[in-house]
Structures are given as C-alpha cells and as structure tokens.
Amino acid sequence: MLNKLLLISLFLSFNIFTCPELNNLNIYSEDTKTISLNYIQTFEGINKSNIQGQVFFKKPNLFKIVTSNPSKTELIVNNLDVYRSDFELNETIKYKLENIESQIPALLLLKSKKKVCTFLKNSENSELISDLKIISDNKKLKTISYTDQFGVITQINFLDIKLNDELEKKIFDYNKTTTLVTLN
C-alpha cells in the first residue's frame, strides 16, 4: 500500500512540475534543427489590425521575425545581438540580447522545453500575461493565446510550419540599407 501511495504521489508531482502541452510538440524535438512558419496575430475586443508575418529559426541561436502587415518590420537575433528594423523609419536598432530578451515572447522558440515550461509556470502568477494556452494538433504547434495586462485576448495562429528545411545563414543578417543605431 505504501509503495502504491509513493508511486501515485511521484506521478502526480511529476505531472504538476511538467508541461504536458509541450511534450509532443515537434518544434522542441532534438531532431528539429530549423523552423519556418507563417503566423497571424489577432486581438479580441479592440479595434486593432491583425498582424501577419513569418518566423525563421535555426538552432541554436539564429532567429528572425518578419512582419508584413500592417507594416514591414524585422526582428533578428544573431547570436547575442538583436536587430529591430522598421522600414518606414528606415532604421535598425541594435541591442544586446540579454538586455531585451524578456520583451520578446517569440524567443520561446529559442529556449529548451524545460525553460519554456518554467516560463509557462511563471506566467500563471504574472501581471503581464494570464490565461496562456498552447494548442497543438498532431504534434504541430497550432495556436498560442493569452490575455495581456490590459485584458486584451491575443491569439497567434501558426500556419505552414516547416521543419528542417535548408535556411541560408544570410537571412539572419539585418538589412544594411537602413540606418543602424546601437543601444547598450
């Protein structure tokens, strides 16, 4: 009887401290070396345009988000540097990754499953994000939804996810035709 109780408590504590919604996601598989996808971000209850774009990721530390609508922007993580380009302003701002990492939720793709799980657990007590949900379909990430600090429900739908396609390293270079501003 004591062994059964110990086994049950061990199983329950394991489930409490893990994130089952991440266990089967192919984006966190050790076999996944590159990810490319399209996304649409929508907002409920406010008059705000949908955001559309693409994400490219090459493990371990190359990441790019291209926003195509409503405006054209790029965010590139190239090792320890982050480049945010706004093409309407013709400007790229360079940051150190460690200084702004917490401001870029999409960087969860760069993290290990364990770190993402910790983030999910911490978000339960966050004043910035609540009701964070990850929805998958047949091992594929489908949707992330959350409520922000202003009560706005945001949903990000992922489309056309491609794993392990060849990605040229040059797509992770910032657009050098814009004016570069470096912040520390």
Side-chain angles (χ1 to χ4, degrees):
M1 182 69 171
L2 183 60
N3 286 342
K4 287 182 182 179
L5 287 175
L6 183 61
L7 185 61
I8 290 170
S9 68
L10 181 62
F11 179 73
L12 287 176
S13 65
F14 177 74
N15 281 332
I16 290 170
F17 296 109
T18 63
C19 297
E21 64 269 33
L22 301 177
N23 286 342
N24 294 321
L25 283 180
N26 54 13
I27 63 171
Y28 293 113
S29 167
E30 289 183 24
D31 296 333
T32 300
K33 304 301 181 199
T34 66
I35 302 168
S36 61
L37 58 88
N38 295 325
Y39 72 91
I40 299 172
Q41 184 173 357
T42 59
F43 307 92
E44 189 177 303
I46 62 170
N47 188 18
K48 186 173 181 178
S49 297
N50 292 349
I51 298 172
Q52 297 178 347
Q54 296 176 289
V55 174
F56 303 95
F57 172 48
K58 186 172 184 175
K59 290 182 180 181
N61 51 14
L62 297 173
F63 185 79
K64 180 178 186 174
I65 300 175
V66 177
T67 303
S68 56
N69 188 30
S71 62
K72 184 163 173 34
T73 64
E74 287 182 347
L75 182 132
I76 296 172
V77 176
N78 192 330
N79 297 314
L80 300 175
D81 294 320
V82 177
Y83 300 89
R84 287 186 194 228
S85 297
D86 185 319
F87 294 100
E88 287 180 18
L89 297 175
N90 193 33
E91 179 178 80
T92 297
I93 300 175
K94 179 182 175 185
Y95 305 88
K96 291 290 180 199
L97 178 60
E98 64 191 34
N99 295 339
I100 67 162
E101 188 171 14
S102 64
Q103 299 171 27
I104 309 169
L107 291 184
L108 285 177
L109 291 172
L110 286 173
K111 305 293 183 189
S112 68
K113 187 167 44 173
K114 182 178 178 181
K115 288 183 180 180
V116 173
C117 185
T118 300
F119 174 83
L120 289 172
K121 296 292 184 198
N122 291 338
S123 73
E124 293 171 6
N125 300 320
S126 173
E127 294 177 11
L128 301 176
I129 294 176
S130 62
D131 301 321
L132 181 64
K133 295 178 183 94
I134 296 175
I135 300 165
S136 62
D137 182 23
N138 196 21
K139 296 186 179 186
K140 292 182 180 179
L141 180 62
K142 184 177 178 182
T143 303
I144 294 176
S145 67
Y146 60 90
T147 304
D148 71 14
Q149 67 213 31
F150 304 108
V152 175
I153 298 171
T154 299
Q155 184 168 309
I156 306 168
N157 294 304
F158 300 96
L159 313 160
D160 304 322
I161 298 174
K162 296 177 184 152
L163 304 178
N164 296 322
D165 279 0
E166 188 66 33
L167 297 177
E168 292 186 36
K169 191 171 187 233
K170 69 180 181 179
I171 70 168
F172 300 102
D173 293 337
Y174 78 93
N175 187 320
K176 293 182 170 79
T177 63
T178 60
T179 302
L180 180 64
V181 176
T182 302
L183 299 177
N184 291 327

